[in-house]
Amino acid sequence: MALPEISRSMLKNSLVLGTFAVLTVGVVAVTQLGTAESIEKAQHEAKMQALAQILPSGSYDNHLLDGSRPVTDPLLGNKGATPAYLATLKGEPAAVILQATAPDGYSGSISLLIGILADGRLASVRVLKHRETPGLGDKIELAKNPWIGSFAGKSLNAPTEAGWTVKKDGGQFDQFAGATITPRAVVKAVHKALLYFDAHRAELLKPVEKHNG
Ligand SMILES: Cc1cc2nc3c(=O)[nH]c(=O)nc-3n(C[C@H](O)[C@H](O)[C@H](O)COP(=O)(O)O)c2cc1C
């Protein structure tokens, strides 16, 4: 039985609309997948660059990515397990690089990479990710200010516990003009990471078992 003219027209329009909808969903899905992949790749590359800056060149001779083990502890402040990278020199443990999160930045969490030498001294600290205010809290980035370099050489007991905060709170670390919250949060997170290292030193410096297959 032939369909009335109006029904045929509706059917045709529905088919055209349906086809467009399917195509649009497909294009959006493919674009999203591609974008997520490139964001992940960019984050991975940023992390590799940051890792390479943490320890002095020549202080280790292994591939850091081959020498990592997952760690998790409230002192590190991370949401889940994060890799602890073991740096070795001629097979001997030289340093560990931990990832830590300061939850109490001015604009939320600040993600850090913290390099600790086998003897417990800090090699260096770098900021992986933050949302602090440009011109104020973003001075924690090495590109903006040398402040983050003030951690090098410090350890859990040098300065003593009271020194592990900003000068405004009686500690040893500078705050920024008009921005105390951000550096206070970073100093606290680094101190906690040192407490974690101190409590888990032996296991963190143990050779990482290679998993084949
Ligand atoms: C718009 C705006 C953005 C701010 N951004 C930051 C920031 O990124 N980091 C920070 O430590 N303080 C920031 N501050 C300043 C803080 O509110 C606070 O006054 C400052 O950190 C000093 O803290 P204190 O009073 O505890 O010493 C910002 C203030 C305003 C109004």
Side-chain angles (χ1 to χ4, degrees), residues 105-107 131-134 136-138 168-169 175-176 178-184:
Y106 180 82
S107 304
R131 280 177 287 142
E132 303 299 274
T133 313
L136 288 166
D138 75 341
K168 200 169 184 176
D169 301 338
Q175 53 276 336
F176 307 133
T180 304
I181 294 167
T182 309
R184 184 188 280 138

Side-chain angles (χ1 to χ4, degrees), residues 13-60:
N13 283 343
S14 311
L15 279 173
V16 170
L17 271 176
T19 312
F20 266 117
V22 168
L23 280 176
T24 309
V25 167
V27 168
V28 169
V30 167
T31 312
Q32 252 180 4
L33 272 179
T35 311
E37 223 170 75
S38 49
I39 289 174
E40 213 171 276
K41 205 171 146 212
Q43 281 178 344
H44 177 77
E45 271 163 23
K47 190 167 179 179
M48 287 311 302
Q49 272 184 14
L51 272 177
Q53 288 175 25
I54 296 284
L55 302 174
S57 61
S59 68
Y60 64 100

